[in-house]
Amino acid sequence: MATTVTATTVRLPAAPLGPENPLPALHPNGELHRIDPADLPGLPADMARQIGYAPLRTVLPVRVLDGYGRDRAPADLDALVVENDRLRATVLPGLGGRLHSLVHKPTGRELLYRNPVLQPADFALAGAWFSGGVEWNLGATGHAAHTCAPLHAAKVPAPDGGEMLRLWEWERLRDLAFQIDFWLPGDSDFLYVGVRVRNPHDRTVPAYWWSNTAVPDTDRTRVLAPAQAAWHFGHQRRLRQVGLPAPEPGGPDVSYPGGSEHAADYFLDIRGDDRRWIAALDGDGQGLVQTSTDLLRGRKVFWWGRGRGGRRWQEWLTEPGTGGYLEIQAGLARTQFEHIPMPADTDLSWLEAYGPLAADPDLVHGADWGTARAEAAARLEAALPRAAVDTAYADWLEQADAEPKEILHTGSGWGALEAERGHLRLPGTPFDATTLGEQQKPWLELLLAGVFPRPPAGAAPGPGLVAPQWRELLESADTYPGNEWFRDYYLGIAQWAAGDQAQAVRSWERSLAAHPSPWAARALAVADAAGGRTEQAADRYTAAWDELAATAEQYGPQVRDVQRALLAEAVPVLLDAGRAAEAGRLLAAPALDGGAPLDDGRIRLLRARTALARGDAPAARALLDAGIVLADLREGAEELSDTWTAVAERLVAGEGEITDAVRAEARAAHPLPAHYDFLMRPEES
């Protein structure tokens, strides 16, 4: 059959993504994977340089997506299918362009781990993320901010004269344009994925890309790549080089993830001009291989481990009994801690290929590491020669600027706004003015008229922009009479994003003096907390809460989302300041929209922590025993286990001191329930 690109839907049990958090993301980027600067001198010079280059301070201007729950119902998700007589690739354009499924039609094998549900969890830079398939990560260390966002999609002519699927969008953390082209030649067993990232600015910008592929994880799955060493990052939060396949003499073979107890990352060190590839093969020697042109140099394997915490995470992200997964990944740098300088007015491009690989199981599993690698490499070369990938890349580049001929899906209007501001022309990836929406309208008015608009009626303030050019426009903007406070509030956000905290505080103080608002008070509370001024931060949060309660009718139905977001920030600060009674007052307040009281898992956990802080450990334990489901639990977070442990220790100690003996007795008398065990490390570490 000729290659086709068709629109359809995929029906899955799905938890709705919910609304964006209405409070701007002023808090430091909470990415789990960070390197202690003290460890940098021991790393290769270029790696250390790139690890220290342009780390992300916050996820501004993106807003955090944390309004989801865990109640799933059947939903029809927009899908685009690229298909020939050998492969069927299913892409979800409304969810970051995720490659949801890749089926090898002659064998009927699903080559990816295809998640049977859509369950958001707090793993991405901007909150919501889901597991399965292949995700495309651009921006900064972590899962992309656009992982649950819609992308533009269209049909374009393929290099062989057939059809090709193009996705594109504006990446807002680094202000880069990107495109992903899915090309499946008529007789091919391999899906080609052409990627181009563009820096259209007159300044150098940090670049980051990793393609993360989820594959089934069985006890016999072996991960192979042309590497003899790896950079290991585990629960100690240190990056160190180890040998393969056994990092320690006599230790386990880490090419078999099924033998590991805890979660770990291994960045496979492919050197010189060795071909870039990675494969995950099952007990029969069959599975998926990913390869690419040489620019995509990095390869990594990640697994959850067979420990109780790892099993719990896999159940959390999918459904019990559906089988686990691991990830094989490919990126621009050797590790995911690095960002690469991308000069002004340049682009980065490469071609990836995904397809089936069948190797001799006796050589894959019954031979040494070198023999197993050589067997997989030979089978890959026979199925898809390295030269063929290079030729396909050259052919694809000739079509990279081809204009879309049929729009299939629409992304955000942020690219259109940036194209208007920068007078950008980006062939092949049009950001049409018709995509501009309500969120972009205030900024378009600032751009075209030089006037910052009035606050919206019946809604909370919308998203802000923080790039240097927008900050300059804010600084010189005219305002409507009495509207200076609103402009200063947004100016403070842009200054905060740039790292100019003192100027941001001054802008917010001017805003608050001119017009008391919960928004500026909350922003100042974040600044005080970041500066270690806990008591002042508690005062600011209380003021923000009281101002929100007094003006709730101004923000319409959105006030409920604001109330929840403010509670989630304010209560921990009040507890840190020793003001548990005040935290209890906020938690006991009725819903500001007049609806049912706020009572999700995050609020219940805050109530348990507040009860413990007020000396009522039995009440805290009762809340835990009743069940707390924390839908927005962050990867690596130990809030649930820490709260359980603290309550157990207080129950054992009573009014007395919590000693090592008390801790041991508490562990024995009140073991951590499995449903609260999300530990990604040994319990004693």
Side-chain angles (χ1 to χ4, degrees):
M1 62 178 288
T3 300
T4 59
V5 176
T6 56
T8 185
T9 58
V10 170
R11 192 167 182 81
L12 289 178
L17 290 173
E20 293 179 337
N21 190 311
L23 302 180
L26 302 176
H27 293 281
N29 171 28
E31 169 56 34
L32 175 67
H33 302 90
R34 292 183 178 273
I35 299 295
D36 188 332
D39 292 336
L40 295 182
L43 301 176
D46 62 332
M47 182 184 291
R49 241 186 347 263
Q50 292 181 167
I51 288 174
Y53 172 56
L56 203 64
R57 295 188 184 92
T58 71
V59 297
L60 290 168
V62 176
R63 287 206 160 176
V64 172
L65 195 59
D66 62 359
Y68 50 85
R70 292 191 60 82
D71 293 330
R72 298 192 288 261
D76 291 323
L77 308 177
D78 290 340
L80 299 170
V81 176
V82 186
E83 185 172 14
N84 65 4
D85 59 355
R86 310 290 296 175
L87 285 177
R88 182 171 63 250
T90 304
V91 176
L92 304 179
L95 292 165
R98 184 74 57 101
L99 179 57
H100 172 66
S101 170
L102 186 63
V103 175
H104 186 232
K105 295 165 76 172
T107 61
R109 289 173 64 95
E110 171 60 71
L111 301 179
L112 305 174
Y113 172 76
R114 182 170 58 192
N115 198 332
V117 302
L118 175 63
Q119 178 55 62
D122 189 8
F123 279 51
L125 289 167
W129 171 89
F130 63 102
S131 64
V134 186
E135 62 171 317
W136 319 105
N137 295 303
L138 170 65
T141 298
H143 298 279
H146 60 260
T147 195
C148 284
L151 305 187
H152 302 282
K155 292 181 184 180
V156 295
D160 60 356
E163 293 184 333
M164 183 165 66
L165 171 62
R166 174 165 298 161
L167 305 179
W168 72 98
E169 202 22 299
W170 187 265
E171 201 289 316
R172 300 183 64 210
L173 297 180
R174 304 298 196 182
D175 281 324
L176 299 171
F178 70 95
Q179 72 186 76
I180 309 169
D181 288 354
F182 298 87
W183 171 30
L184 186 56
D187 59 351
S188 178
D189 276 328
F190 284 82
L191 174 69
Y192 292 136
V193 181
V195 180
R196 179 167 61 172
V197 180
R198 288 163 152 170
N199 174 14
H201 307 295
D202 59 359
R203 64 184 188 278
T204 298
V205 174
Y208 172 98
W209 183 282
W210 280 81
S211 303
N212 292 8
T213 304
V215 294
D217 180 16
T218 70
D219 290 339
R220 293 286 289 161
T221 299
R222 192 173 201 188
V223 176
L224 299 170
Q228 298 183 46
W231 294 93
H232 173 237
F233 184 78
H235 63 269
Q236 302 95 341
R237 303 287 173 243
R238 296 192 63 192
L239 187 66
R240 62 189 183 97
Q241 192 169 48
V242 298
L244 292 176
E248 307 294 340
D253 182 339
V254 297
S255 67
Y256 287 98
S260 297
E261 185 75 5
H262 301 288
D265 299 294
Y266 283 89
F267 299 96
L268 307 174
D269 196 2
I270 301 176
R271 300 182 178 180
D273 64 352
D274 286 348
R275 186 175 184 180
R276 275 60 167 155
W277 62 270
I278 187 169
L281 305 180
D282 64 15
D284 296 324
Q286 299 188 66
L288 174 88
V289 64
Q290 187 272 1
T291 187
S292 71
T293 47
D294 288 354
L295 183 67
L296 206 65
R297 67 176 296 189
R299 293 299 185 276
K300 173 192 163 184
V301 56
F302 164 80
W303 60 77
W304 286 107
R306 291 294 192 266
R308 192 169 76 160
R311 294 196 308 271
R312 178 63 175 137
W313 270 119
Q314 297 233 35
E315 292 174 351
W316 187 254
L317 297 172
T318 175
E319 283 190 329
T322 56
Y325 74 95
L326 60 89
E327 289 190 2
I328 55 175
Q329 306 176 7
L332 283 173
R334 278 177 289 185
T335 73
Q336 288 171 338
F337 307 101
E338 301 169 69
H339 299 107
I340 296 173
M342 189 175 178
D345 198 25
T346 61
D347 62 56
L348 297 169
S349 62
W350 61 90
L351 189 79
E352 305 180 43
Y354 296 80
L357 191 67
D360 185 333
D362 292 333
L363 295 180
V364 169
H365 298 290
D368 61 31
W369 173 247
T371 301
R373 288 189 293 120
E375 164 66 5
R379 296 292 183 135
L380 171 59
E381 187 65 20
L384 183 65
R386 183 178 189 176
V389 175
D390 292 337
T391 298
Y393 171 60
D395 292 342
W396 168 73
L397 274 182
E398 294 184 1
Q399 291 297 106
D401 284 349
E403 293 299 329
K405 63 179 184 179
E406 181 182 346
I407 300 296
L408 300 172
H409 199 266
T410 302
S412 78
W414 296 112
L417 183 65
E418 292 297 335
E420 177 70 23
R421 184 200 56 75
H423 306 289
L424 304 179
R425 184 180 178 276
L426 300 168
T429 56
F431 292 102
D432 195 272
T434 58
T435 63
L436 291 164
E438 289 299 318
Q439 289 189 332
Q440 292 82 43
K441 281 184 178 178
W443 300 94
L444 188 63
E445 182 177 351
L446 172 63
L447 177 65
L448 299 180
V451 177
F452 199 69
R454 295 183 176 89
L465 294 178
V466 300
Q469 300 88 341
W470 290 106
R471 188 169 70 248
E472 291 171 6
L473 288 171
L474 282 169
E475 289 169 344
S476 60
D478 291 330
T479 60
Y480 294 99
N483 195 40
E484 293 83 358
W485 74 270
F486 196 54
R487 188 273 314 276
D488 285 339
Y489 169 66
Y490 279 102
L491 179 57
I493 294 172
Q495 291 163 337
W496 183 266
D500 195 346
Q501 297 185 355
Q503 285 284 16
V505 167
R506 282 192 282 272
S507 293
W508 291 328
E509 287 176 339
R510 282 198 311 272
S511 175
L512 196 63
H515 179 85
S517 77
W519 318 109
R522 175 263 175 179
L524 288 166
V526 173
D528 281 329
R533 300 178 295 276
T534 307
E535 191 66 35
Q536 294 95 314
D539 289 339
R540 296 284 197 187
Y541 271 122
T542 301
W545 174 268
D546 292 339
E547 185 63 32
L548 178 67
T551 58
E553 72 282 352
Q554 296 182 20
Y555 309 115
Q558 199 178 10
V559 73
R560 187 181 187 88
D561 301 328
V562 181
Q563 181 181 11
R564 182 190 181 276
L566 195 55
L567 275 175
E569 287 189 14
V571 170
V573 172
L574 288 167
L575 295 180
D576 287 346
R579 293 158 64 166
E582 203 162 356
R585 175 178 74 87
L586 269 58
L587 287 166
L592 296 178
D593 65 349
L598 275 64
D599 194 35
D600 61 23
R602 175 64 60 184
I603 301 302
R604 291 182 185 181
L605 180 62
L606 292 174
R607 288 190 178 120
R609 292 178 57 189
T610 300
L612 180 63
R614 300 181 76 170
D616 194 349
R621 179 58 179 266
L623 285 163
L624 289 165
D625 287 343
I628 294 175
V629 179
L630 204 59
D632 59 342
L633 184 67
R634 186 138 184 89
E635 179 186 10
E638 299 180 2
E639 300 162 88
L640 288 168
S641 53
D642 285 350
T643 303
W644 176 274
T645 299
V647 171
E649 291 171 354
R650 181 48 59 198
L651 288 172
V652 170
E655 297 295 324
E657 181 183 357
I658 296 177
T659 63
D660 288 344
V662 166
R663 293 187 180 95
E665 184 181 347
R667 283 196 298 270
H670 306 279
L672 180 66
H675 61 280
Y676 288 151
D677 188 351
F678 291 88
L679 293 176
M680 297 173 64
R681 56 172 179 80
E683 189 170 0
E684 66 277 3
S685 67

